[in-house]
Amino acid sequence: MSIVSSRLLSPFASKAAMPTAASTAVPAGRDLRLDFFRGLSLWFIFLDHVPSNIMAWITVRNYGFSDASEIFVFISGYTAAFVYGRVMNERGFVVGAARILKRTWQIYVAFVFLFVFYVAEISYLATRFQNPLYTEESGFFEFLQKPEIILIEALKLRFLPANVDVLPLYIVLMGFFPFVLWPLRRWPNVTLAGSVVLYTVARLLDWNISLYPYDRYWFFNPFCWQLLFVIGGWCALGGVQRIENFLKSRTVLVLSILFLMYAAALQLSWLFPGVTRKLPTWALILPLNKSDLSLFRLFHFLALANIVVRFIPMDAAFLRSSWARPVILCGQNSLEIFCLGVFLSFSAHFFITEISARFHVQMLVSLTGICIMIAVAWLMSWYKNIDRRGGKPPPAQTGLGERTA
Amino acid sequence: MRKRLAAIAICFAGLAAGATPGFAQNCPVSHELVATFAPLPQVHADVTKNKKLNILVVSAAPTQTGAAAGLKSYPYFLELALKERLKNTDVTVFAHSVPRKPIDDVVAALPGLLKERKPDLVIWQTGTVEAIRAMDPDVYGDKLLAGVELILAAKSDVILMNQQYSPRTDYMFDGVPYTDNMRYVAQSKDIALFNRYAIMKYWAETGIFDLSAMRNDGVYEKLHRCLGGLLSDFIVRAGSLPGSLE
């Protein structure tokens, strides 16, 4: 079912270096593809989050079913399993779990930080926005009449600001991850099957977490999206080896390509009502359910990942070129850059509204945002370097390091 | 040339008289944004046979209810524009709102409204309240489909109209899943979708309208006049009515 390369991490590149799946050995070097594609997904998430941004046209969501969220969640699951799996191997369950929960806490703090900015912006707007053109839209601000409830609900993750939805998902996935990682190392297939069962039951019974206010639910349903996270972890812990022959078969390649082409055609035709009007009913599968991770989206992502890792080897020259460096830097500081991206998309929106909504301004704002993301990512890496040199002797440069999980 | 001069003269005469010639004249849009592929058979039949066109606008907009003449919003300008284009036709536009209520309440109000108004065409403005409340888009799609089926069963045509482009609140809630569901319903029932969001966004991006004002800056009426004019074009083309330019 999973279609991800055997070469995502170097120890898995050859069977000689990776004799047994369960013993997650010390990696020989960093797989820059993980950093590169996570960085790219962060750029896409930023561009997609600036409302009605012309630059969003370059992002992956316009050319198929899945989007940057799938890339982000999968790679996060992959790196989390890889990094903390190694910690659990070397230092036991308790230390591994403690590290994971520390990371979870950091993500929670990041969420609260973004929430404060969000509330500041909308409160300001709510008191001044009286354009008669938008009487219906201003109904949105009604919930601000009960600030004490909003604050408590937000701390309970039951009130979510716009565009941070992926953070609460990440918090929940990481919070439960010790109890997933432990069996995933011992019985990977059984754990994956359990994840599939949870996904299936959640979809059949409509499980999700409810939100305040109104009768609504988490945008990223954690009962469904956990599947992609676990698939990522399963792949990282040697799952790919077990289905290597299947992944490398011509049939899978052809099916993946056909599916990607079908998705691209359908997604693009959606924009031309004159075309889709003539489509037969069975082809009318859009819009897909993103909240519950529709299977069309899941398989689209897996097909995409299969093609990418097949044609971009781990030692691809461009990954070490200077133009790939900015993307990789962003991917290596993913939590900080994700939060920065959300904050920048607030700011970009503000700029577009206050100054000008023209096309060239949108392009300028988008490019500026990406430049800031790169600059901050570079700064983060610099800080980490001096921290590392500061006290203790530098740890051996092994693999992905905790910070990227 | 003579025709063009005549047209200009008529425009000036109209302006001088305080009338409203060429409603959509100062509100250019790109052609694709107002392209329509679905026909309006009931509208066509009633206009050509009975010289009558009865339109019902349904929405959840707080201030949009009653006979169009009493409103200075797009239903009013739509009525004016259609009356001008369809000279010998008895055009009425009536707006009914279920203020700030989600689609369930609008669908519940439909049977009574359809019975009472007997429209040839229902323009269903929807998607804003649902986006604000972040209603499950799939559930929304199902309800919309049920509502559209009610309208079609009552022998009326339907045009769906999506949410406005509101740059100030664009960040707060996402209308795209609701427009996507409208598109799905429009495709599966072969009805038209008037993409108000894309049209207004185009106006903002090309500088035709500044939509970012915090307070009343007079854009409201101009913009609704444009929307009414464009809608009248849309209806005339989709219904293959005598006023059609194509």
Side-chain angles (χ1 to χ4, degrees):
Chain A
M1 150 177 193
S2 166
I3 316 169
V4 176
S5 152
S6 60
R7 293 180 298 189
L8 266 172
L9 282 160
S10 56
F12 308 147
S14 70
K15 283 182 173 171
M18 185 60 213
T20 57
S23 67
T24 41
V26 177
R30 186 189 282 272
D31 184 344
L32 292 176
R33 288 179 303 182
L34 291 169
D35 296 332
F36 182 82
F37 288 106
R38 180 143 68 168
L40 207 57
S41 75
L42 290 169
W43 287 12
F44 288 168
I45 289 173
F46 163 68
L47 292 176
D48 287 339
H49 279 175
V50 182
S52 35
N53 176 11
I54 188 85
M55 288 288 283
W57 273 107
I58 65 166
T59 67
V60 61
R61 69 169 178 192
N62 300 299
Y63 308 98
F65 298 147
S66 66
D67 61 26
S69 320
E70 273 90 352
I71 306 178
F72 187 79
V73 171
F74 174 83
I75 298 185
S76 298
Y78 191 106
T79 49
F82 183 76
V83 171
Y84 300 113
R86 206 182 55 203
V87 176
M88 274 194 191
N89 277 349
E90 288 168 1
R91 307 189 57 187
F93 174 80
V94 174
V95 175
R99 288 269 184 87
I100 294 174
L101 293 177
K102 185 182 166 199
R103 185 65 172 166
T104 312
W105 173 250
Q106 288 175 340
I107 306 169
Y108 182 76
V109 171
F111 166 79
V112 174
F113 177 80
L114 285 173
F115 170 77
V116 172
F117 273 102
Y118 175 80
V119 169
E121 183 184 346
I122 58 169
S123 309
Y124 172 84
L125 194 56
T127 51
R128 286 168 179 76
F129 189 47
Q130 281 156 6
N131 188 336
L133 198 55
Y134 297 115
T135 45
E136 196 176 352
E137 283 76 4
S138 61
F140 174 76
F141 300 111
E142 276 172 10
F143 71 87
L144 282 175
Q145 286 159 3
K146 292 177 185 164
E148 78 287 7
I149 295 178
I150 295 168
L151 289 171
I152 292 167
E153 295 296 335
L155 291 174
K156 282 157 52 186
L157 300 181
R158 285 194 67 242
F159 176 86
L160 304 183
N163 293 339
V164 306
D165 312 81
V166 93
L167 277 186
L169 172 73
Y170 206 178
I171 292 169
V172 168
L173 292 180
M174 287 296 276
F176 285 97
F177 199 57
F179 311 104
V180 176
L181 184 56
W182 191 77
L184 193 61
R185 286 161 56 244
R186 277 155 201 272
W187 312 287
N189 294 341
V190 175
T191 313
L192 181 62
S195 171
V196 171
V197 169
L198 178 57
Y199 171 88
T200 312
V201 172
R203 292 214 54 179
L204 289 176
L205 301 181
D206 275 334
W207 287 356
N208 198 346
I209 297 176
S210 71
L211 279 177
Y212 174 88
Y214 311 119
D215 182 23
R216 62 198 186 101
Y217 295 92
W218 272 28
F219 184 72
F220 286 99
N221 184 344
F223 299 109
C224 297
W225 279 78
Q226 52 81 21
L227 177 59
L228 190 54
F229 199 76
V230 174
I231 291 177
W234 184 83
C235 289
L237 298 182
V240 162
Q241 262 72 35
R242 292 189 280 279
I243 54 166
E244 196 170 12
N245 293 334
F246 170 72
L247 291 178
K248 287 196 169 157
S249 71
R250 188 170 290 270
T251 321
V252 170
L253 176 69
V254 171
L255 284 177
S256 298
I257 292 176
L258 285 178
F259 190 61
L260 292 179
M261 283 165 54
Y262 163 71
L266 215 56
Q267 194 70 39
L268 287 167
S269 73
W270 189 236
L271 304 167
F272 304 99
V275 179
T276 37
R277 183 175 169 235
K278 304 291 176 202
L279 286 179
T281 321
W282 58 264
L284 289 177
I285 57 163
L286 298 177
L288 294 171
N289 188 330
K290 182 171 177 180
S291 282
D292 295 342
L293 184 63
S294 144
L295 285 175
F296 282 103
R297 292 184 67 110
L298 178 64
F299 282 107
H300 180 265
F301 169 76
L302 295 176
L304 191 64
N306 183 33
I307 298 294
V308 165
V309 291
R310 197 171 179 126
F311 292 105
I312 303 178
M314 200 188 113
D315 51 3
F318 86 94
L319 289 170
R320 310 213 171 263
S321 68
S322 51
W323 69 263
R325 181 107 185 104
V327 192
I328 288 173
L329 274 179
C330 290
Q332 287 172 346
N333 297 281
S334 64
L335 179 62
E336 293 87 347
I337 299 303
F338 173 82
C339 295
L340 179 70
V342 172
F343 178 72
L344 285 173
S345 63
F346 279 124
S347 319
H349 171 243
F350 181 79
F351 196 87
I352 287 173
T353 314
E354 294 299 330
I355 312 294
S356 163
R358 300 293 189 92
F359 294 114
H360 59 271
V361 177
Q362 294 179 18
M363 310 237 326
L364 184 76
V365 165
S366 301
L367 292 175
T368 309
I370 287 179
C371 289
I372 295 173
M373 287 164 88
I374 296 168
V376 172
W378 178 83
L379 194 66
M380 289 287 166
S381 293
W382 181 78
Y383 267 114
K384 280 171 187 166
N385 265 332
I386 53 170
D387 282 352
R388 205 175 288 153
R389 280 179 205 156
K392 299 156 289 196
Q397 176 65 330
T398 52
L400 290 149
E402 190 171 346
R403 63 213 170 102
T404 56
Chain B
M1 187 67 196
R2 195 178 293 171
K3 264 188 183 165
R4 192 177 292 170
L5 280 177
I8 293 171
I10 289 170
C11 277
F12 274 104
L15 284 175
T20 47
F23 283 83
Q25 220 165 45
N26 296 319
C27 3
V29 284
S30 65
H31 177 71
E32 319 84 76
L33 288 179
V34 284
T36 173
F37 303 93
L40 297 173
Q42 300 296 338
V43 168
H44 183 80
D46 218 21
V47 171
T48 48
K49 282 188 205 136
N50 308 325
K51 297 280 165 209
K52 182 173 91 49
L53 176 56
N54 183 8
I55 298 176
L56 172 65
V57 179
V58 188
S59 75
T63 56
Q64 194 167 287
T65 203
L71 308 165
K72 286 284 187 222
S73 55
Y74 77 83
Y76 167 70
F77 295 108
L78 170 66
E79 187 178 74
L80 278 188
L82 283 174
K83 277 184 171 158
E84 196 181 86
R85 295 178 87 149
L86 307 170
K87 288 278 186 249
N88 304 313
T89 306
D90 176 22
V91 179
T92 35
V93 178
F94 185 87
H96 180 87
S97 165
V98 190
R100 287 192 176 156
K101 292 286 183 198
I103 189 163
D104 313 58
D105 300 65
V106 178
V107 173
L110 276 176
L113 273 170
L114 291 167
K115 209 168 174 186
E116 186 194 333
R117 308 293 321 174
K118 295 190 176 48
D120 303 303
L121 168 66
V122 174
I123 299 174
W124 191 350
Q125 175 193 323
T126 175
T128 307
V129 174
E130 294 78 10
I132 288 174
R133 297 181 172 215
M135 181 178 182
D136 181 338
D138 283 357
V139 174
Y140 171 78
D142 293 344
K143 301 247 153 102
L144 186 67
L145 189 65
V148 165
E149 280 169 348
L150 274 179
I151 299 169
L152 294 175
K155 299 244 174 302
S156 168
D157 295 325
V158 194
I159 295 177
L160 298 177
M161 185 195 275
N162 61 353
Q163 60 171 278
Q164 305 191 77
Y165 172 58
S166 165
R168 289 272 171 201
T169 57
D170 214 17
Y171 200 88
M172 323 280 164
F173 46 88
D174 185 8
V176 172
Y178 306 92
T179 296
D180 278 350
N181 272 284
M182 275 179 231
R183 251 184 231 179
Y184 171 76
V185 171
Q187 280 178 5
S188 53
K189 290 285 159 189
D190 202 14
I191 58 174
L193 168 63
F194 184 77
N195 197 342
R196 182 168 60 147
Y197 182 88
I199 292 168
M200 287 175 65
K201 187 161 154 282
Y202 176 87
W203 286 336
E205 286 173 340
T206 48
I208 291 163
F209 285 112
D210 176 6
L211 300 177
S212 64
M214 293 287 250
R215 291 173 187 282
N216 194 357
D217 62 348
V219 163
Y220 182 89
E221 195 176 321
K222 286 181 208 148
L223 190 124
H224 274 261
R225 179 186 296 267
C226 283
L227 284 176
L230 286 177
L231 256 178
S232 77
D233 286 347
F234 195 80
I235 292 166
V236 164
R237 271 184 291 119
S240 318
L241 301 182
S244 174
L245 298 170
E246 284 177 2

